[in-house]
Amino acid sequence: MNKTVLITGTSSGFGASAANYFAEKGWNVIATMRDTSKATGFKNSTNLFITKLDVEDTASIQSAIDAGIERFGKIDVLVNNAGYGLFGIFESASREAIQNQFAVNVFGAMDVTRAILPHFRENKSGVVINVSSGAGAIGFPMASIYSSSKFALEGWSEGLRYELASLGIKVKVIEPGGAPKTGFLNRVGGESTGLQLISDYVPFLEQTGKMFQSMALTSDEDAVEKVVSAIYESATDDNARLRYSPTQDIQPILNARRSSSEEAYQQFTDSIFTQANN
Ligand code: NAP
């Protein structure tokens, strides 16, 4: 019997590409999104089932899972991909904007996972794949809120992994770097327009903007393909690995984070992120 994956946030970006990739590999795919009229990026496939799922609406989560099981009989893998980035100065962001960021990136993933776990427990198997970010491993300037949501996602994943291992269920974390070819940056732009401008930060914002522009030049051209391959690998490799960091652009910072002393790491990232401001 073909395996089945349920993916959240498949209206664009990594989610849409992952849905096509799994379907091409012969998987049954439950491609979920909060507005199904956006389901335009799929190749014709009889094993791809599109259904509504808004990660902020628990009733829609349960309906999508139930409909997917009714269609394919079983779900083997969940990909918690839906998410967005609130970028900007922390002090500029309202409490509500920060709560929205956590509602989607953290509580949304938790709610979908909670809803599918009884099914995975019944089957004594399953894989939960959480799409985090390089910003889930390190803090970036102007991304403190996004980073804190992805750090929360990663801390939760790491602890959950032990709980679920005892039941034959795996947890995986994907840490993409920058991927300009998804809808992510457009949404970042939209979210940021709601932030209040505090003039004291303007010199910092100008310098940091330049730093991000130069960082964007190092983004992997094939980031989407690499991320989708890593999602597929994590669904199928059947090993104990937790984190996958498939793009090259963030490797120097991730390596420094994971292999340098705290002081050496901070000196290295200050030289990238803040030196221009001093
Ligand atoms: P994207 O093209 O903007 O896709 C994001 C998806 O999440 C869209 O389908 C969006 O649906 C969906 N979504 C947002 N809020 C939702 C909600 N409440 N319920 C259900 N779906 C919701 O961006 P992407 O780059 O593919 O992002 C996918 C994941 O990768 C995110 O978790 C993001 O944080 C992570 N990531 C992206 C990058 C990057 O540079 N692109 C880097 C690292 C990590 P709508 O169309 O309805 O808004």
Side-chain angles (χ1 to χ4, degrees), residues 78-136:
L78 163 66
V79 183
N80 283 312
N81 164 73
Y84 73 93
L86 178 64
F87 281 62
I89 295 293
F90 163 72
E91 199 184 337
S92 303
S94 68
R95 192 163 192 272
E96 190 192 7
I98 297 170
Q99 282 177 330
N100 285 345
Q101 176 76 109
F102 275 74
V104 175
N105 291 7
V106 184
F107 301 125
M110 288 182 175
D111 284 341
V112 181
T113 304
R114 187 190 294 105
I116 210 164
L117 280 179
H119 181 67
F120 282 180
R121 279 191 289 108
E122 196 182 327
N123 297 333
K124 297 186 173 51
S125 70
V127 187
V128 177
I129 302 171
N130 291 328
V131 180
S132 174
S133 169

Side-chain angles (χ1 to χ4, degrees), residues 21 29 65 72 90-92 97 101 111 123 131 143 156 172 182 210 223 228-229 232 246 255:
Y21 191 85
V29 178
I65 291 172
F72 295 122
F90 163 72
E91 199 184 337
S92 303
Q101 176 76 109
D111 284 341
N123 297 333
V131 180
W156 168 62
K172 305 282 187 171
T182 70
K210 284 183 202 151
V228 167
S229 293
Y232 187 79
N255 290 341

Side-chain angles (χ1 to χ4, degrees), residues 162-234:
Y162 299 107
E163 291 174 26
L164 298 184
S166 70
L167 306 172
I169 302 164
K170 292 185 185 305
V171 178
K172 305 282 187 171
V173 168
I174 312 295
E175 293 174 332
K181 289 180 187 162
T182 70
F184 187 81
L185 288 178
N186 286 341
R187 172 101 191 238
V188 166
E191 296 290 335
S192 304
T193 53
L195 301 184
Q196 158 205 5
L197 181 68
I198 301 174
S199 59
D200 284 347
Y201 290 104
V202 168
F204 171 82
L205 286 171
E206 284 171 353
Q207 288 298 338
T208 308
K210 284 183 202 151
M211 183 274 296
F212 272 123
Q213 270 170 6
S214 71
M215 272 186 90
L217 298 175
T218 69
S219 292
D220 296 31
E221 188 55 30
D222 54 354
V224 174
E225 291 78 4
K226 283 178 174 162
V227 170
V228 167
S229 293
I231 292 172
Y232 187 79
E233 183 190 347
S234 72

